[in-house]
Amino acid sequence: MSGWPVWGVLTPGEPTQLESRARSIVMTEMDQALGKEQPFEVITGRRRYHAIVGTDPSDMGAEMQLAEELSLGCDEPVYSIDRANDPWTVISWRNGALEVLEIDPEALAASLGCPLPGSERTSDRTTRTPLRTVALLEGVKAEEARHALEEDHGEPFPLGRYHFKDTPQGLLLAGGKGGMNFAHITLSEQFPQATVYGVTASPSLDTFSVTVMQAGEGLERFTRPLRPDPFVPEVSKIKGENSPARIVAALGIPAEWFRNE
C-alpha cells in the first residue's frame, strides 16, 4: 500500500465479497464503468475479521459510510476507525446503530486478527498528522442545512454532532464527534445550486486539499502535496489564491478549525 492509512473498517466476512460490497457503497456506477481506482484496499486478516483501509484524506468519512452499511444484517459488530484526527475515533456499528468506543484502535485490530498497516510505526503518537474537514457552502443557511441533514439521517442529531456557523461567505460546516461523514456532499446534493468547498487539512496546512462541488459532483480540486485525480480537474488557485493559508482566509474559515481542540 502506498501511504499511511488514515481511515479503516474492521469487519467480518469473505475478503472478495467485502471488496465488491465496499466498491458498490463508495463508488458510483459511473466511477466503476470509467475504471476509476477504488479509494481503499482490503487487508486480509488471520481470522474472521478483515480491514478495509484508505490513505487519501479527501476520502475521510468513507469509513463511517462503509461500516454503517456493512453492519446492516451482520450478527457481529463492524468497527470504523478515523486515524487522521487526534484522538483517534473508534466506533462500533450494529445494524446501522453506532457507539463511540474508548479503545485503542491498533489494540482492537490486533485482537481481531487484522492489524492495521503501519501499526508498527505508530507507537510514537507525535508521528501522526491529524486532519480535519471543514466545508463552506455558499447560499445555504445553518438552520436549513441542519434540517436537511436530520431529515436525511431520520432523527435529530445529538448535541455537538456537527458545527454550523453562518458567515458573510456562506455556511461553515465541520464535523464534531464522528467527523464530517460526507455531510457536505449530502448537502451539495440536496442544494444543487450551492457551490460547496470541502477542505481537508492538517493543523499546519502542510497537507491540504479543496474540492469544489455542485449537485454532489466534483468540479475542480486543489491539493498540496499534489495528488491528481483523473476525474476532477486539478486547479492552481481557489478564489484567486494559490497558497493554503490564503485559500482558507478567502473562504472565511478560521485556521484554528483545523487544529485539535
Side-chain angles (χ1 to χ4, degrees), residues 71-129:
S71 73
L72 297 175
C74 184
D75 293 333
E76 298 168 274
V78 175
Y79 302 95
S80 64
I81 298 172
D82 171 1
R83 296 172 95 198
N85 291 311
D86 193 358
W88 291 343
T89 303
V90 181
I91 299 177
S92 171
W93 298 82
R94 289 179 180 269
N95 273 327
L98 66 87
E99 178 186 2
V100 179
L101 303 180
E102 298 293 333
I103 189 173
D104 180 76
E106 294 179 342
L108 171 64
S111 72
L112 296 173
C114 51
L116 295 167
S119 295
E120 67 279 3
R121 301 196 302 272
T122 60
S123 59
D124 181 358
R125 301 201 133 208
T126 63
T127 64
R128 291 183 273 126
T129 302

Side-chain angles (χ1 to χ4, degrees), residues 72 131 165 183 206:
L72 297 175
L131 301 169
K165 182 179 181 181
D206 54 339

Side-chain angles (χ1 to χ4, degrees), residues 23-45:
R23 191 184 302 115
S24 70
I25 293 170
V26 300
M27 299 180 69
T28 66
E29 291 183 3
M30 181 65 72
D31 288 339
Q32 297 182 58
L34 293 174
K36 184 175 182 179
E37 184 178 358
Q38 64 188 32
F40 62 83
E41 181 176 343
V42 176
I43 308 297
T44 302

Side-chain angles (χ1 to χ4, degrees), residues 33-250:
L34 293 174
K36 184 175 182 179
E37 184 178 358
Q38 64 188 32
F40 62 83
E41 181 176 343
V42 176
I43 308 297
T44 302
R46 297 191 300 273
R47 299 194 291 274
R48 279 188 45 75
Y49 275 80
H50 311 286
I52 303 172
V53 299
T55 61
D56 192 334
S58 66
D59 294 320
M60 289 303 304
E63 75 285 355
M64 296 185 70
Q65 183 185 19
L66 282 168
E68 181 178 9
E69 291 291 332
L70 292 173
S71 73
L72 297 175
C74 184
D75 293 333
E76 298 168 274
V78 175
Y79 302 95
S80 64
I81 298 172
D82 171 1
R83 296 172 95 198
N85 291 311
D86 193 358
W88 291 343
T89 303
V90 181
I91 299 177
S92 171
W93 298 82
R94 289 179 180 269
N95 273 327
L98 66 87
E99 178 186 2
V100 179
L101 303 180
E102 298 293 333
I103 189 173
D104 180 76
E106 294 179 342
L108 171 64
S111 72
L112 296 173
C114 51
L116 295 167
S119 295
E120 67 279 3
R121 301 196 302 272
T122 60
S123 59
D124 181 358
R125 301 201 133 208
T126 63
T127 64
R128 291 183 273 126
T129 302
L131 301 169
R132 289 194 172 177
T133 297
V134 180
L136 168 69
L137 297 89
E138 294 179 338
V140 180
K141 297 294 186 181
E143 282 307 310
E144 58 187 356
R146 186 193 307 273
H147 178 71
L149 287 175
E150 288 184 339
E151 270 203 342
D152 183 75
H153 184 63
E155 61 182 348
F157 290 116
L159 185 66
R161 178 63 185 87
Y162 292 105
H163 302 301
F164 302 88
K165 182 179 181 181
D166 287 318
T167 73
Q169 289 92 338
L171 169 65
L172 296 184
L173 172 67
K177 182 169 286 190
M180 185 70 92
N181 195 26
F182 296 132
H184 59 310
I185 299 177
T186 297
L187 291 173
S188 179
E189 293 170 343
Q190 296 194 14
F191 297 93
Q193 301 306 313
T195 301
V196 177
Y197 299 81
V199 184
T200 299
S202 60
S204 62
L205 306 183
D206 54 339
T207 298
F208 187 84
S209 72
V210 183
T211 300
V212 184
M213 293 171 282
Q214 281 187 335
E217 298 293 330
L219 303 179
E220 58 187 30
R221 134 177 159 138
F222 175 102
T223 57
R224 294 292 183 273
L226 184 65
R227 295 189 303 277
D229 181 335
F231 298 93
V232 182
E234 185 78 17
V235 295
S236 60
K237 293 182 179 181
I238 296 289
K239 294 284 189 181
E241 303 293 348
N242 61 6
S243 76
R246 293 181 67 87
I247 290 172
V248 166

